[in-house]
Amino acid sequence: MRLTLEEIAKIAGVSKATVSRVINDVPSGVGEETRKHVQSVLSELHYSNDSFMHSMRSKSLALILPDITNPFFADIARAVTRKAITENYVVILVETEFSEEKEQEYISKLISKKVDGIILVPSGRACTDAHFLPEKYHVPMVLLDRKLDGAHSYAGIYSDNEYVAFGCCERLIKSGAREIVFISGPLNVSTSTERMDGYKDALIHYEIPFDHRKVRIGNYTVESGYQAILELEKENISYSAVLAANDLMALGALRALKEFSYKIPEEKQIIGFDNIDFSKYCEPSLSTVQQPSIQMGSQAVETLLKLIGGKKVSQTIRLQPKILYRQTTK
Amino acid sequence: MRLTLEEIAKIAGVSKATVSRVINDVPSGVGEETRKHVQSVLSELHYSNDSFMHSMRSKSLALILPDITNPFFADIARAVTRKAITENYVVILVETEFSEEKEQEYISKLISKKVDGIILVPSGRACTDAHFLPEKYHVPMVLLDRKLDGAHSYAGIYSDNEYVAFGCCERLIKSGAREIVFISGPLNVSTSTERMDGYKDALIHYEIPFDHRKVRIGNYTVESGYQAILELEKENISYSAVLAANDLMALGALRALKEFSYKIPEEKQIIGFDNIDFSKYCEPSLSTVQQPSIQMGSQAVETLLKLIGGKKVSQTIRLQPKILYRQTTK
């Protein structure tokens, strides 16, 4: 909450009426020196008449996300805070650490703390009672990046995962790779299944039989990408390309492929997802998908503020990622 | 702010007196069904009698940092939010993007929004008027990771940069490297100059003349580490080891050293700072300094809450980093 008239008066050591007169530019009743003093206090605290009159309470929105140390989510957080602050909102950051239980607890806590709106990147795709609390208590909520099954009433901002995963596979197939491994993220997350769908669609489109042994489920960490390759090698599975559902897993896979002395991209091609800073600098540099993370974060704030203002919004906004071809593809 | 008695009453569709009776367990005056209904509303919003009575307003602290996409700061943000939430505080995240101007603006905005306390990772080391506003308006503030010149009244939580930089150089020298390059961060940041001091102290201690051409000033990005090596090579400067003031610059330097086909660690050793996730998986894996980021974030919250509670705190807490030797050192 912002300081009240009373509190400003106390800080400035004058009466409430005096503060009110200065704020409202009432010319009488306040000596020149006092007026200047109150104005300096107000300006020091960045009070303009406008902001003071129209926003007595602080405006805040909550950003709930699974993992702030994942560079993709850090980009999202940057975009959200950057956009929010230009609209005079502060952003409360909450990290669920992929726990659906924590997610539920925080949603309800934030509502009880009267946050003005919520941007939620869900931990999983299962919808729980807590996910309907914002609607019930009239707190606008926007979903970001990941879908929630059955939560049709919330607007959402998503990246077109299926389309771009199809595009990655298509490129690999056209370059001659027909045995493509897909290292997926956890299947309780919509982005994972969408990328998997794009992968499967491409196989069908190019009449390549689906082989379940070529799909490995990781958990979006470097280690899980590394382990996926170790397993494939141990099981003697033949493959000529790897599509990983994020860069951290792709980098783990890349490291393992190099340990097995494969020539990249001649023997094994690899494409990641997210275009994290380091993907450009690893060796060979990683082909990957540039997520529209900045637009996603910014659009989520825009949509949320429209909802807070009682305006209509598009139910689903789908932003287009872009494939960046570097040295791990032919 | 939390919902008031009045607002809860409105949501539950009962009188204020009824809500108060239910919260305070007054046995009379409320029918069993109504009591259950109010209790279900309260529990849905996670109100316990205790939290409701003692914390009518929301408790929030602000974390102001330069760059949320830097993995070290993301770790700090994780530690701060994790610790704060267990103490029933929400964390307002503000990113200054290394702008001292934005930092000043945000400090004063946050004070006017009546945040309960501030954890500040300063953009630079120069102290401005805005840095004294928290003190003036009695908003507790704790400095984290980076010092502010002249801001003696604020408690601070720091990593012992000088000590550990000395240790890194000592190890390099003992392994036979006497020509050590230091890729520093910007010199307007205390952590940079402290690491530089540790580097210089080690040279003095081991009687190695200081050569200003072996010090390069980067900006903590991969690109600036990469460029530093390119410059050294272009200028034909002889060196056998590189100490970089963070992992991103070390990874950039590593990439450049590999492009020049140097054998690592035989011809060039390299040590970074921060132990970001990827440093373990790059090739060769990077020797680096494990910052006590989790303890730093957690300790900052602890110190801040003590100050909010009017308790005494240690003025300076210095936590010990640890050197991790991997494949880029002998």
Side-chain angles (χ1 to χ4, degrees), chain A residues 225-240:
Chain A
Y226 183 81
Q227 289 300 334
I229 298 298
L230 258 48
E231 283 168 29
L232 287 162
E233 292 293 327
K234 210 173 151 191
E235 297 169 27
N236 270 313
I237 303 202
S238 154
Y239 62 101
S240 49

Side-chain angles (χ1 to χ4, degrees), chain A residues 166-189:
Chain A
F166 184 99
C168 291
C169 287
E170 184 166 57
R171 163 73 178 245
L172 292 170
I173 293 164
K174 286 188 172 167
S175 77
R178 289 184 66 85
E179 297 185 304
I180 303 172
V181 163
F182 179 59
I183 307 179
S184 171
L187 295 183
N188 65 334
V189 176

Side-chain angles (χ1 to χ4, degrees), chain B residues 293-316:
Chain B
S293 44
I294 299 298
Q295 298 96 296
M296 284 168 78
S298 172
Q299 197 89 74
V301 174
E302 234 168 69
T303 302
L304 188 63
L305 296 194
K306 275 189 194 161
L307 289 169
I308 292 171
K311 291 189 196 125
K312 289 227 159 167
V313 300
S314 318
Q315 200 54 18
T316 300

Side-chain angles (χ1 to χ4, degrees), chain A residues 1 44 46 67 78 82 91 93 95 97 108 114 136-137 223 255 258 278 281-283, chain B residues 7 44 46 67 78 82 91 93 95 97 108 113 136-137 223 255 258 278 281-283:
Chain A
M1 207 170 105
E44 198 166 65
H46 280 253
D67 176 10
R78 156 170 288 182
R82 200 184 273 180
V91 176
L93 174 71
E95 202 194 16
E97 299 176 59
S108 102
K114 293 215 289 187
K136 184 166 173 189
Y137 291 102
E223 185 63 32
R255 161 98 199 215
K258 283 159 77 181
F278 195 73
Y281 294 98
C282 63
E283 200 192 19
Chain B
E7 287 165 316
E44 199 165 65
H46 279 255
D67 176 10
R78 155 170 288 182
R82 199 184 275 181
V91 176
L93 176 70
E95 202 193 16
E97 299 175 61
S108 101
K113 281 181 185 292
K136 184 167 174 188
Y137 292 102
E223 185 63 31
R255 162 99 198 213
K258 282 158 78 181
F278 194 73
Y281 294 98
C282 63
E283 199 191 20

Side-chain angles (χ1 to χ4, degrees), chain B residues 56-70:
Chain B
M56 288 294 289
R57 57 183 290 269
S58 114
K59 297 185 290 185
S60 62
L61 57 91
L63 172 63
I64 306 178
L65 48 73
D67 176 10
I68 189 66
T69 68
N70 178 321

